[in-house]
Amino acid sequence: GEDVEQSLFLSVREGDSSVINCTYTDSSSTYLYWYKQEPGAGLQLLTYIFSNMDMKQDQRLTVLLNKKDKHLSLRIADTQTGDSAIYFCAERPDNFNKFYFGSGTKLNVKP
Amino acid sequence: KAGVTQTPRYLIKTRGQQVTLSCSPISGHRSVSWYQQTPGQGLQFLFEYFSETQRNKGNFPGRFSGRQFSNSRSEMNVSTLELGDSALYLCASSLVLAPDTQYFGPGTRLTVL
């Protein structure tokens, strides 16, 4: 089945850039997503990218997609303490509304 | 526009009982999906409903069931609760079946004692 992998932890200093990485296995994935989850809350959609794109930028967020290596990354510029949360990568195979999530990367931003 | 709402937010039950969780999607959204989130298993897909019909189902036992009403609101039911059912249950809604982006509710935290 589909397998989405992420590193579990990332620690950065406030003001630095954060890069969260994700690998996926389903080559038919049409959409790839990044969600943010703060303690005690649901998932907040941050951004998504179509599989026919290489890059998408949205304010402080930059998503890079390497389809050949099935690698997705999320870069957060000028990371703030409010960015501390768990970040989930998710893929959705073509023609399904079923999402497959990674285990989440816990981002800790130190002041 | 109001987001996805889930009720109740917190629930405590004992083993063997049953529970019903409710989800109201964003107005106009017709597809509702349910997920179980646990520290050990992460986020796992339970099922998806569209126009009152179950369209996709994850690998969960038959104790987990759901339904969707004509107004797109959805409920999920877990019968004969087990300790391992303790989890955060998340509901997500989207406009159409596929392809579309899902928006998540805050979740219902179920604790089984």
Side-chain angles (χ1 to χ4, degrees), chain B residues 9-27:
Chain B
R9 291 294 311 278
Y10 302 92
L11 205 49
I12 299 175
K13 291 285 189 179
T14 55
R15 277 182 301 175
Q17 287 187 307
Q18 76 164 16
V19 67
T20 300
L21 311 182
S22 181
C23 171
S24 292
I26 293 172
S27 178

Side-chain angles (χ1 to χ4, degrees), chain A residues 1-21:
Chain A
E2 290 75 8
D3 195 12
V4 182
E5 294 191 355
Q6 301 178 239
S7 52
L8 291 180
F9 300 101
L10 177 65
S11 185
V12 300
R13 292 212 171 271
E14 192 173 20
D16 288 349
S17 291
S18 307
V19 179
I20 302 171
N21 295 301

Side-chain angles (χ1 to χ4, degrees), chain B residues 25 29-30 50-53 67-74:
Chain B
H29 284 196
R30 297 172 63 191
F50 178 77
S51 293
E52 302 176 65
T53 302
R67 59 178 176 168
Q68 186 180 34
F69 301 94
S70 58
N71 61 358
S72 295
R73 190 178 70 86
S74 177

Side-chain angles (χ1 to χ4, degrees), chain B residues 51-109:
Chain B
S51 293
E52 302 176 65
T53 302
Q54 188 180 91
R55 298 288 180 152
N56 287 298
K57 191 176 189 303
N59 297 323
F60 278 82
R63 300 185 298 108
F64 291 81
S65 63
R67 59 178 176 168
Q68 186 180 34
F69 301 94
S70 58
N71 61 358
S72 295
R73 190 178 70 86
S74 177
E75 289 181 347
M76 68 162 280
N77 184 276
V78 188
S79 62
T80 320
L81 284 165
E82 300 176 1
L83 294 179
D85 297 333
S86 293
L88 180 67
Y89 289 88
L90 292 164
C91 164
S93 77
S94 57
L95 269 173
V96 295
L97 186 62
D100 201 10
T101 299
Q102 292 189 335
Y103 296 88
F104 283 80
T108 294
R109 172 73 62 186

Side-chain angles (χ1 to χ4, degrees), chain A residues 4 8 19 24-25 34 39 43 46 53 57 68-70 75 77 87 89-90 95 106:
Chain A
V4 182
L8 291 180
V19 179
Y24 61 97
T25 57
W34 284 104
L43 274 67
L46 286 178
M53 297 169 65
Q57 189 155 359
K68 175 175 168 289
D69 295 337
K70 297 190 182 68
R75 178 177 180 269
Y87 290 80
C89 164
N95 296 325
K106 186 171 185 178

Side-chain angles (χ1 to χ4, degrees), chain A residues 55-111:
Chain A
M55 185 183 89
K56 181 179 179 182
Q57 189 155 359
D58 185 359
Q59 299 182 337
R60 292 189 298 123
L61 305 178
T62 302
V63 178
L64 294 176
L65 175 61
N66 181 329
K67 282 189 68 178
K68 175 175 168 289
D69 295 337
K70 297 190 182 68
H71 182 267
L72 183 73
S73 67
L74 174 69
R75 178 177 180 269
I76 305 173
D78 187 26
T79 313
Q80 303 297 306
T81 54
D83 294 325
S84 292
I86 300 176
Y87 290 80
F88 290 91
C89 164
E91 64 164 344
R92 191 186 66 210
D94 204 12
N95 296 325
F96 286 95
N97 213 26
K98 184 188 297 188
F99 282 50
Y100 295 93
F101 287 84
S103 54
T105 298
K106 186 171 185 178
L107 174 65
N108 179 41
V109 182
K110 293 180 277 191

